[in-house]
Structure formats: C-alpha cells, structure tokens
Amino acid sequence: MPDDVSPAPGRRHGATAAHRHTTPEHTASHIQPGPVPAPAGDPGPPRSAIDPPALPSPPPPAARLRVVVADDNPVVRAGLGVLLSGRADIRVVAEAADGREAYEKTLQHRPDVVLLDVRMPGVDGISALPHLVGIAPVLMLTYSRESEIVHEALRLGAGGYLVHGEFTADQLVQAVRDTRNGRANFTVTAADALLAHMRQDTSSPRGPLPDGLGAALTELPAQASPRQPEPSEGLSQLQPLVGQSSVTGGPTFSPNRQQYKLSSREAEVMELIASGMSNQQIAATCFISEKTVKNHINRIFTKLHSVSRSEAIARWLGTAPRPPGRQP
C-alpha cells in the first residue's frame, strides 16, 4: 500500500462507534457501590448497604427522691441537706424553720418525703403533722423521745420516728427511701417509748380478737398471789426497791425539769449528756462545733447548780439527793 494512502473513511468512526455501543453488562461492571435508595414510601434518608444498625437510645435517668426538711435549727437543716443531696437518688428541694413554713413548702413542691421536727417555734411539728400527711409521707426526725409524743405522732399519720443520735447516715438515707415506699422505721428510743405507752394504755375497752384468740386465758388456773413478806422481814430488806428505774419495773420518779428553765437546745444537749455521749459525739449529732457544745454545757451546769456531768445528770434525772430543808 502506498505511504500516502489514508485509512478508509469510516474505520476510525466505526471503532469509535463500537466503543460507544458498549454492552450494558460491560458498563455495569464498572459501577462502584453507592447508597441504596430507601423503599417507596419510606421518609428516612438512604442508608448504605454496609451501615451498622442503629443502637437503641439509653433509658431516661430515674427521677430523684424529693425531700423537704423542717427543723428550727439552721445547722441541722444544712447538715441534712448536704447528707441527703449527696446521694444520687435524693434531692432536698426545700427547707422550713417551723410547721407553717413546712406546710407551705410541702404544698408548693409536693415532695416524696417530709422530714419533720417536733419542737419548733410558732407552729410545732405535731400541730402541722395532720396537714402534711395529706400531701406527702412524713418521717419524724427529732430529739423528742417522750412516749406520749411518739404515740401521738404515729396516731396522726407519721410514717416513722427517728431520734437524733440513734442512727447512722446510711440508716437515715434508707429510712427516707423506706418512708417513700410505705415502710416504717423507728430508732430504739422511739420503739421503746411506743411500747411503754401501749402497755400503759389499758383503760380503754378492747374488742374481741379474731378466731377467739385470747379467750383461753380465762381457762388457765389462777396465778398464785405474790408472796407477802414475813413479819420478821424488816423494812430494810424492802427499801432497795424504792427508786428503781422503769427498766426493772420498779417505781419511777418524774423530775420537774421545767424548774431549770433550759432552752430547747440546752435540753437536747442535756439529754445527750444523760445518755452518756461525749462532747465530740454531741457535736456530731447536733451538727455543731465542740466549742458550742462546751458553751451549752457551761450554761446547763449554771442552771442545774452543778459542777460536774454526773451531778448534772443526777439532777436532770431526779436522782440527786434533795438539799436539806427544800420542800419536794
């Protein structure tokens, strides 16, 4: 073929056309994987065929137990606030200094539990209790340990009764949780006071028990009467029974503590002194410093005309000998 002969017209065009008319199979082999379109009617965005499945969203955090603290002592309120709010499931939502404020804060915040003191200025805890229990469960948290007060608080609807100095921080936290769940908690003094009051309350008529329980008592043989002392037994042999404490079942003496004119805080400190607590233990129980405890003790000793703890305890409990010439 001569060098100047050009390729036949259409050959280059034919090759180009052949390239343009590539088969669909050949074209598909060069397509890279891409997003898979969502099915018809699915409003969601397209997902890649290799995307991992969506993880379930975490559950919402549990609601914290909400508490109102009512106590006339600001140090006690602050200590309880720090103690309870330091727990992950509890939050102190309000504080109150007397029964009226406790009712207002409870009505406003609708808490899960109210911690209520007994002796407060203005409206006391016992007076406010019937109004509070209709809004939220109430746990008595107080220094008052008289059996009549314990019984009245429970009669009015309190869900438990704790006396300061007789529980740990963990026990208090658990008592708050139990009160929200309808379980009652009592410290030792409160339980003993309630038991003593129930045993003394024998004058009210009692109805029959279910299934005839208690009727068998009438069929038992009569108990022999207590042995009477022989004439030879002198008064000296019976004298030790006088002045025994109520723990042993002997006669009791109720001292007139009003004569000492102690403030409510001084009376609380004196009760703790009589229970055998040291100054350090009293400070921790009352959420005050040891120096403040010593100041209270100095004023207590002055009012009780005492120079030592033992003498003050004896006067407070009514076991100190009466000075000559003083009328009972």
Side-chain angles (χ1 to χ4, degrees), residues 161-177:
Y161 201 106
L162 305 183
V163 176
H164 282 295
E166 299 183 357
F167 54 84
T168 64
D170 289 338
Q171 288 171 338
L172 172 60
V173 171
Q174 188 58 48
V176 172
R177 294 171 180 153

Side-chain angles (χ1 to χ4, degrees), residues 25 110 114 123 129 134 154 165 182 189 224 228 238 246 270 287 316:
E25 291 82 1
R110 301 283 173 167
V114 177
V123 179
L129 182 56
L154 298 177
T189 297
Q228 299 296 325
L238 302 178
S246 59
M270 188 60 232
F287 299 101
W316 186 250

Side-chain angles (χ1 to χ4, degrees), residues 97-118:
D98 60 19
R100 183 178 299 279
E101 188 178 8
Y103 174 75
E104 294 172 352
K105 294 296 180 65
T106 302
L107 199 61
Q108 175 185 356
H109 295 277
R110 301 283 173 167
D112 298 297
V113 176
V114 177
L115 297 182
L116 184 64
D117 189 20
V118 170

